[in-house]
Structures are given as structure tokens and as C-alpha cells.
Amino acid sequence: MNEIQRAKIVSQILDKTYPKIYVPLKSRNVFTLLISVLLSAQCTDVNVNNVTKNIYPKFYKPKHFVKLGRKKIEKLIKKIGIFRIKAKSIFNLSKILIKKHGGKVPKTFEELENLPGVGHKTAGVVMSQGFGYPAFPIDTHIHRLAQRWGLTNGKNVVQTEKDLKRLFPKKSWNKLHLQIIYYGREYCKARECYGVTCKICTTCYPKRKKPIKTKKA
């Protein structure tokens, strides 16, 4: 079985398991989506949603966070990991959005990645979930799963993104990104499946008996 055949199996199982998909991070607009994705680094989506549900009803524009100031932002997000660093990024990017982009979130990868605290993965989530642009954001979980399923050699997240974009049609990228995340959380867990128990792993590699080691992102 080659990688193209494995990719087809992955698509079929994911579409059957998750025919409808929803965005896990709650947001009010594209700006609050950007903030939520930034907050989700080294933090669960559930924790982010629990914190932001008390923030977004009142504060949902760059000008709101500039007016709050860094210290007050810290207090609002203190239950989230590395909250001081994230508060600084939120405050600074809000100022930049007002100064350079008229208070709007830019619609290009380059402009997004120039914002404080926004890397390629965060930009990809905003482009796909916020603007509907075909993107394939790769986090450590997708990087791990793509290796288990034989879709990439796991050199790094950049290579994994290239490999997945090559194997799957562009129209499926946005949905597939979320399907893979959900499947990894429910079935192909980091410390349970090890590449030998879930349906995708056993279908792609029916003769695999030993847990496989994956390369970190």
C-alpha cells in the first residue's frame, strides 16, 4: 500500500466518522478567533473557551484590548498558560491592527505572521476558519498522526504540511485539518494508540504489531 492509497483510506474513515465538523474554538468575529487561536498555544480548547466566554461579550475589537492595557488583559486570561506573554502579544497586535490595518484582521499569511505572537500555524487557522481560504495548519498532533498513518516522513511540520497538501485535494484541507484533530483526540491518542490500535492505523498497516516512534515537530 502506497501513501496515495493510505490517504484515500484516511479520507474515507474521517468522512464517515466526522461527516459534519465544527470549529472547536468559540469566537465572535475573526479578531476574537485570532485571539483564541493565540491563547490555545500549550493550552486546551476547552480551557480557552471557558476563559473567553467571559471576555468576548464585552471585549471583541482591537480598540477594546488597547483600552484595557496589558495588565488588565493579564487578569482576564490568567487561567491560561504563559498568560503574561500572551497578554503582551494581544495588546501589541491590537495596537498594530489599529495603526496599520484599520482595526481589521489582515487576510494574508504574510501580514498575519508579522503580528506579535502569530506563527504560521496560527495564521493558517485564521485563514481557513476565519476567511475560508484553503490552508492546512499543522500542529504537533497532526504532525504525529501523519507519521503514524504513513503520510509523511516526519522531518518537521513544514515538510508534513507540504506532504499533506500534495496528498489531499485543496477543497478538503480546511475540513480535513479539523477531522484529523478530532480523530486524534478520540481514537488515535498519543499515549493509547501508538500506531497499532485505531481503525486508520490498523487499516493502513494491518501487519504492524509494534508501537512506532514518531519524530517531534
Side-chain angles (χ1 to χ4, degrees):
M1 189 183 298
N2 60 36
E3 60 182 8
I4 294 173
Q5 291 170 316
R6 289 193 291 269
K8 286 182 179 179
I9 287 170
V10 168
S11 289
Q12 289 168 357
I13 292 175
L14 290 178
D15 281 339
K16 190 174 181 180
T17 309
Y18 304 104
K20 291 183 179 180
I21 209 75
Y22 63 93
V23 177
L25 287 170
K26 307 295 183 185
S27 60
R28 181 165 174 170
N29 51 30
V30 180
F31 172 69
T32 54
L33 173 64
L34 171 61
I35 299 304
S36 286
V37 180
L38 189 154
L39 291 174
S40 69
Q42 299 177 40
C43 182
T44 66
D45 293 341
V46 172
N47 193 19
V48 172
N49 289 337
N50 283 336
V51 169
T52 58
K53 70 182 180 182
N54 298 316
I55 297 174
Y56 295 157
K58 291 182 179 179
F59 311 109
Y60 51 90
K61 294 180 180 181
K63 64 180 182 181
H64 296 156
F65 287 91
V66 171
K67 191 174 181 180
L68 276 170
R70 208 169 103 192
K71 291 297 180 184
K72 287 185 179 179
I73 296 173
E74 285 182 8
K75 289 180 180 179
L76 289 173
I77 65 168
K78 63 183 179 181
K79 291 183 180 179
I80 286 177
I82 55 174
F83 70 92
R84 289 188 178 87
I85 294 172
K86 292 175 180 178
K88 182 180 179 182
S89 294
I90 292 169
F91 178 63
N92 288 333
L93 76 78
S94 295
K95 288 196 294 183
I96 291 170
L97 289 179
I98 292 170
K99 187 177 180 180
K100 293 186 176 181
H101 303 284
K104 302 289 185 181
V105 177
K107 295 184 178 182
T108 70
F109 274 97
E110 185 179 6
E111 289 173 311
L112 283 167
E113 289 175 37
N114 281 331
L115 295 172
V118 179
H120 184 65
K121 181 250 175 178
T122 297
V125 174
V126 173
M127 289 294 285
S128 63
Q129 297 175 12
F131 297 121
Y133 181 89
F136 215 132
I138 305 297
D139 60 12
T140 55
H141 306 293
I142 292 179
H143 180 65
R144 166 175 50 82
L145 295 170
Q147 291 177 68
R148 283 183 176 178
W149 301 343
L151 306 177
T152 187
N153 60 20
K155 283 183 179 178
N156 50 54
V157 290
V158 175
Q159 186 61 48
T160 297
E161 183 177 340
K162 287 180 181 177
D163 289 337
L164 295 184
K165 283 182 173 180
R166 173 174 53 81
L167 289 169
F168 297 100
K170 186 181 282 190
K171 64 181 181 181
S172 72
W173 291 353
N174 292 353
K175 183 180 181 182
L176 197 60
H177 159 255
L178 289 171
Q179 288 174 321
I180 293 173
I181 289 173
Y182 284 124
Y183 189 89
R185 289 176 181 175
E186 194 169 356
Y187 300 105
C188 197
K189 297 179 182 179
R191 300 185 183 280
E192 286 184 27
C193 177
Y194 291 107
V196 292
T197 62
C198 82
K199 189 173 183 179
I200 289 179
C201 288
T202 54
T203 306
C204 289
Y205 291 97
K207 294 181 180 179
R208 182 191 279 165
K209 302 298 178 185
K210 295 180 179 180
I212 67 160
K213 291 184 178 180
T214 53
K215 299 173 186 175
K216 291 186 177 181

